[in-house]
Amino acid sequence: MISEREAAKYPFLKEATSLVETLNIKVEDLANPNYSRILDRGERRVSEAIIDGIVGNGVPDDLTELLSMPVAIMLVSAVGDRFLERRYAHAEAARAQKLLWSESEAFIAELAKRQFGWEIKYARRELDEQTYLFEVGFVDYLRNAGSFHEDKWKLVNRVLSGGRVLLTRMEVIRLLQVEVEDFVLGRVSKHIRVEIPETVQARVENISKLFEEHRRRISGAELPPEAVSEAFPPCIKHAFEGLLSGRRASHMERFALTSFLVNSGMDLEQILQLFVSVTDFDEQLTKYQIEHIAGLRGSRTRYTPPNCATMRTHGVCYNPDIYCKGVKHPLTYYKRRVQSIKGGEKTSLGITGSNHQGGI
Ligand code: SF4
């Protein structure tokens, strides 16, 4: 039987969810002032996700802490904003990762097995000055590491033994973070139609307002004045918001975004800072790739994003809008929008068609 403390620490666990279900609390019950502490904590989970990008350690009262997560999920789902849903799921996963750092290997392995059905075993191995503590089935490994970009996660670069991948403690916790994020995202994006009491609806509005205040900060208003985020084409806006909310993107999407930002005149250091939020971020590697795209490294070719046809082929053309009509290239879209936003002021964007060769 799970302790209330463990359930409060890991409210996404099946046993924690069953504990909540046994309490049989209905949405309409939340209007009762006796539940205001749970609503307060639920609302705070979401505001911490919006402001800090990670949910904090929470209140000492385990039951309030446990019940605050389903409440937070209901509040985020009621707002119904995909970007907020991703931001919240990412923040709950970051919290779980931090808590797992102080757990035993036995606890970590048991959680992976019981909660996510992993094939995992504790096995200490010293290889090439690296200490591996776990062996994980490659199916579970690929399901979670598949979209990571760093070469170290590629299966060809991993040590396998009997069909299982050898992993360090931190690597297992990183993969569990992905599982938690997917779990929470699955829950918040289920928009179940429920009658929300007025007092709770007021909290939904608080969160929506807070998110709008921070959306600009989270998704780009800090951009230097020369990069006009309002003029970004839908494909680039989607890639940009996805990057900041922790969504894992394809190579083509990251290349299109980076080469677009490079050509929108954005400072390379600022582009690098954007990637900071990507949890498998490797500063040296990303810096090299950005400078390569900007023509400062390698073949000294300055790359531009792919044209719209190629973006469509790779499934990166997202939700084209009226300004996409007759546009063959995202930078053409951007140039036209900048002009109409700045009231016809000429910009110096030299669009030469696509001389990109992929890869970031
Ligand atoms: S049509 Fe072009 S600019 Fe518009 S969303 Fe698609 S790729 Fe982007």
Side-chain angles (χ1 to χ4, degrees):
M1 182 60 188
I2 189 173
S3 69
E4 255 186 31
R5 177 90 284 268
E6 237 171 59
K9 278 171 81 176
Y10 305 107
F12 54 83
L13 293 177
K14 292 182 190 121
E15 298 93 332
T17 314
S18 329
L19 202 55
V20 171
E21 277 154 14
T22 57
L23 301 167
N24 197 20
I25 301 172
K26 305 260 179 312
V27 174
E28 52 273 24
D29 300 338
L30 296 174
N32 179 328
N34 294 342
Y35 290 107
S36 60
R37 270 155 55 89
I38 296 167
L39 282 167
D40 289 347
R41 176 58 190 141
E43 191 177 341
R44 205 165 52 252
R45 288 183 97 101
V46 185
S47 54
E48 286 164 354
I50 292 169
I51 297 166
D52 312 322
I54 183 170
V55 173
N57 279 343
V59 292
D61 156 9
D62 291 334
L63 194 55
T64 300
E65 186 61 14
L66 168 61
L67 293 170
S68 70
M69 185 175 171
V71 166
I73 286 174
M74 177 198 68
L75 295 172
V76 170
S77 188
V79 173
D81 183 293
R82 195 75 186 134
F83 187 21
L84 175 60
E85 288 161 9
R86 288 191 173 287
R87 178 94 179 164
Y88 174 68
H90 189 71
E92 283 288 359
R95 172 184 185 272
Q97 183 195 33
K98 212 166 155 200
L99 288 169
L100 284 170
W101 284 341
S102 51
E103 300 290 0
S104 69
E105 279 82 31
F107 180 90
I108 292 168
E110 199 49 28
L111 183 146
K113 221 179 280 174
R114 257 195 0 234
Q115 181 62 25
F116 301 112
W118 284 19
E119 186 201 335
I120 182 170
K121 75 172 190 166
Y122 176 76
R124 187 183 188 91
R125 298 255 197 119
E126 310 283 344
L127 275 173
D128 315 330
E129 287 155 31
Q130 179 68 279
T131 305
Y132 297 103
L133 292 179
F134 295 98
E135 291 181 5
V136 170
F138 78 89
V139 175
D140 302 312
Y141 176 81
L142 284 177
R143 187 178 61 250
N144 295 295
S147 64
F148 291 170
H149 302 285
E150 253 185 304
D151 287 342
K152 74 166 192 167
W153 292 102
K154 304 257 172 312
L155 200 56
V156 281
N157 301 328
R158 303 301 315 189
V159 183
L160 272 83
S161 151
R164 285 197 285 263
V165 184
L166 271 54
L167 291 166
T168 66
R169 182 187 157 80
M170 294 315 284
E171 289 170 336
V172 164
I173 292 175
R174 175 69 192 91
L175 297 179
L176 283 173
Q177 182 186 2
V178 176
E179 288 277 17
V180 174
E181 186 170 340
D182 290 347
F183 172 83
V184 176
L185 195 56
R187 296 287 301 279
V188 278
S189 39
K190 265 206 215 102
H191 301 133
I192 303 157
R193 291 240 155 282
V194 282
E195 200 53 43
I196 295 187
E198 236 171 78
T199 47
V200 181
Q201 187 54 40
R203 293 173 186 266
V204 174
E205 271 131 40
N206 294 348
I207 285 168
S208 198
K209 194 163 151 292
L210 179 74
F211 186 56
E212 282 322 314
E213 283 159 18
H214 287 269
R215 179 195 285 272
R216 291 182 61 71
R217 174 183 64 78
I218 301 171
S219 70
E222 265 87 359
L223 285 177
E226 59 275 3
V228 187
S229 62
E230 290 89 324
F232 284 4
C235 48
I236 298 300
K237 260 200 195 119
H238 179 67
F240 196 71
E241 285 192 355
L243 175 77
L244 293 172
S245 68
R247 177 170 58 79
R248 286 173 287 282
S250 65
H251 282 290
M252 180 54 86
E253 193 173 14
R254 265 164 82 141
F255 169 75
L257 175 61
T258 311
S259 53
F260 180 93
L261 294 174
V262 164
N263 285 281
S264 75
M266 201 168 156
D267 171 73
L268 300 192
E269 184 50 38
Q270 249 148 354
I271 300 175
L272 191 60
Q273 283 319 309
L274 276 176
F275 282 96
V276 167
S277 69
V278 178
T279 38
D280 61 332
F281 171 71
D282 174 301
E283 180 146 5
Q284 287 319 311
L285 182 64
T286 306
K287 193 165 185 306
Y288 174 85
Q289 288 164 338
I290 293 169
E291 289 171 352
H292 184 78
I293 287 173
L296 303 177
R297 300 263 191 145
S299 62
R300 306 285 161 177
T301 309
R302 183 186 172 89
Y303 292 95
T304 56
N307 60 28
C308 298
T310 309
M311 296 279 273
R312 274 190 285 277
T313 312
H314 290 270
V316 190
C317 165
Y318 181 85
N319 239 0
D321 62 15
I322 49 162
Y323 303 106
C324 291
K325 271 212 177 56
V327 157
K328 293 199 172 21
H329 198 286
L331 285 175
T332 312
Y333 177 110
Y334 183 61
K335 178 180 166 188
R336 290 189 186 161
R337 291 295 295 133
V338 168
Q339 281 168 346
S340 60
I341 290 168
K342 292 193 172 178
E345 187 188 343
K346 276 264 155 280
T347 61
S348 62
L349 292 166
I351 296 162
T352 56
S354 59
N355 52 3
H356 75 90
Q357 277 143 27
I360 189 170

